[in-house]
Every structure is written in C-alpha cells, then in structure tokens.
Amino acid sequence: MVTMLILILLPVAFLLPPGAGAGEIIGGQEAQPHSRPYMACLTIRREDKNFRCGGFLVSENFVLTAAHCNGDKITVSLGAHNVKQREQSQQKISVRHRIPHPKYNRETTNNDIMLLQLEHKAELNEQVMLIPLPPAHQRVQPGTVCSVAGWGRTSALSKVLPDMLREVDLKVLDDEACLKYPGGTYRNFKTRTMMCVGDPKEHKASFKGDSGGPLVCGETAQGIVSWGPVNGSPPRVYVRVSTFIPWIRATMRKLQP
C-alpha cells in the first residue's frame, strides 16, 4: 500500500486516490531561514477542501510540483520560512495555468509531475531564487546524499504541522532497492520515471506534507516528492526530473508570453 505525500490541513480522505494516504519530513531539522530560496508553498483548493504541497521555482513565472497536488485553485507562496506568519519576504502569486503531465496516472502515480504558470513573474532577490534543473536523462549515482525540505509533519504519529521549513538529508538508492523490496510495496515503481530514495535502516524520510518539493542533489533539483509506504518508512519514491526535461522545456516555451 502506498501513500501520496500531501501536507493536509483538512481531512485527507476525499483528496486522494483509493488506497492512498498522505507525506512529511521525518528525522530532520529546521532549515536555516531562506537557505532554500527556490522553495514554494502551495495552497490548494479542491472542491470544498484546502491542503498544501511543496514546489520549487524553476523560472521567474513557473513552479514545478507533483501532479497529485492539482486542484481547482492554487496560490503559490515564495520566500517563506514560517508559513503561519506574513513575512516581508513572502510573495503570494496566483496560478494562471496548471499543467499536469499528460500521461500522469492517478492509480499508479506514474508521471507525477506538474508545471504551474504564475499570474506574473516572481521578483527574484536573496529570499526568492530559481533552482537549476538537471540535464535531460542524467542519472544520480546510488549512494549520493541529497536533501529534501518541506512544511510537513515531523512524525507518523503526530498531526501537528510545523510552521517552519524543515529539511533532511537522504541517500539515493539503487533502483533494485525498490524493485526487489519484499511485500510488493513498490510494485508500481518505474525506473525510467522514478527514483528510490532513503536508507531503510535510517528513520529519515519525506512524508505527510512534502509532496511536490524538490530532492536537491548538489545544487540541482533531481527529484520531486511523490509517494511511499503509508507508515512513513523509507525508501520513498521521487519523480526522476531528468526524464521530463524535454517536456518541461517545451511546455514552458509554449506558454511564455
């Protein structure tokens, strides 16, 4: 059984596909304020429910996130650290176009990637910056230590959501770690479009709340928080961003004014 990784403000039961639950930073620490100026906090309205996801700024007017974070209306907050405060650094921008990948599969969570075109360009400064994307089809070496951040819950048992951005370092695993994991937990794992991340021996993971946020390797956004076991245990599954570079570039070109 797998879980979507969404930071939920209201009950999740009606927001996710059948058999899915929700995701968070487990075993991490508070990030240095504004040390990740590419981070976006998404407030999503879907029917009569509100929830939040993560995302990251890849162009002055485009944010990348997970397709399962789609909704009827999305507002992006850039330059945030404490999402409960109206920090002077924050820029709130409405989303003009939501473009989930045309082959996104809600049942298997394959191609779980979405571009958001903002109503207007973000103002880039020390608190709001872009993050580079990898070259097309570049693969991250197993054993590489990357990091992920989000405003999600800090334990599988706690329902309290932290106000501050939190982060954790995670190891990229060989695809086989997910493919051959006992019990069929990762039966929907696709090596071309997904990454297997997080040492199962360590109690560290993205979980309830970090969907759509970037897995950062070096200075590059190599992954997007996507799904994993319902109990929050690693490894977790991330979108392999490099596979989608041609689609990302073509979509942004098409929509640029």
Side-chain angles (χ1 to χ4, degrees):
M1 190 175 184
V2 300
T3 176
M4 294 298 194
L5 309 175
I6 304 178
L7 181 122
I8 304 300
L9 298 181
L10 294 172
V12 68
F14 304 108
L15 297 178
L16 300 175
E24 68 212 62
I25 294 292
I26 294 175
Q29 62 281 324
E30 183 180 337
Q32 190 71 24
H34 311 296
S35 60
R36 296 173 180 268
Y38 47 79
M39 286 296 296
C41 184
L42 276 49
T43 304
I44 299 146
R45 184 82 175 166
R46 189 184 293 165
E47 295 175 350
D48 60 344
K49 302 285 191 298
N50 286 320
F51 65 98
R52 281 189 287 182
C53 276
F56 48 107
L57 195 65
V58 296
S59 162
E60 286 175 299
N61 60 335
F62 282 97
V63 164
L64 206 52
T65 187
H68 77 257
C69 292
N70 204 352
D72 303 316
K73 183 173 190 276
I74 302 177
T75 304
V76 171
S77 293
L78 302 169
H81 179 66
N82 184 336
V83 292
K84 294 288 176 67
Q85 291 186 351
R86 299 184 69 175
E87 300 162 315
Q88 286 192 327
S89 58
Q90 290 184 20
Q91 299 178 36
K92 288 191 187 300
I93 307 175
S94 294
V95 170
R96 177 180 295 175
H97 291 303
R98 308 181 311 275
I99 311 103
H101 192 276
K103 292 187 177 176
Y104 167 57
N105 186 314
R106 193 163 171 260
E107 299 302 316
T108 65
T109 326
N110 196 21
N111 305 305
D112 187 18
I113 186 169
M114 177 168 63
L115 267 169
L116 303 175
Q117 184 185 30
L118 306 180
E119 280 287 2
H120 60 81
K121 289 184 177 181
E123 182 183 326
L124 302 184
N125 53 42
E126 283 189 5
Q127 288 84 35
V128 177
M129 294 185 193
L130 311 182
I131 185 168
L133 296 175
H137 310 298
Q138 181 186 71
R139 291 180 80 86
V140 180
Q141 285 294 112
T144 302
V145 176
C146 304
S147 66
V148 67
W151 288 272
R153 287 191 275 167
T154 56
S155 114
L157 301 175
S158 168
K159 292 188 177 179
V160 177
L161 304 173
D163 301 340
M164 315 293 190
L165 181 66
R166 296 181 67 80
E167 63 187 5
V168 69
D169 289 339
L170 300 171
K171 188 182 292 184
V172 175
L173 306 182
D174 191 285
D175 292 338
E176 298 297 308
C178 280
L179 288 170
K180 293 185 175 175
Y181 199 87
T185 304
Y186 303 93
R187 61 187 174 277
N188 290 323
F189 186 86
K190 306 287 185 193
T191 58
R192 183 176 171 273
T193 55
M194 300 176 187
M195 300 172 67
C196 188
V197 180
D199 190 335
K201 297 191 290 292
E202 296 183 356
H203 191 61
K204 299 196 299 186
S206 56
F207 187 44
K208 292 196 169 104
D210 306 312
S211 281
L215 180 74
V216 180
C217 305
E219 301 296 319
T220 307
Q222 290 280 3
I224 300 173
V225 181
S226 186
W227 60 273
V230 289
N231 63 0
S233 63
R236 316 296 292 176
V237 178
Y238 291 70
V239 176
R240 192 183 293 281
V241 172
S242 66
T243 297
F244 298 95
I245 295 299
W247 174 77
I248 293 167
R249 300 291 185 209
T251 304
M252 291 197 301
R253 270 198 309 273
K254 191 167 62 178
L255 289 171
Q256 286 293 9

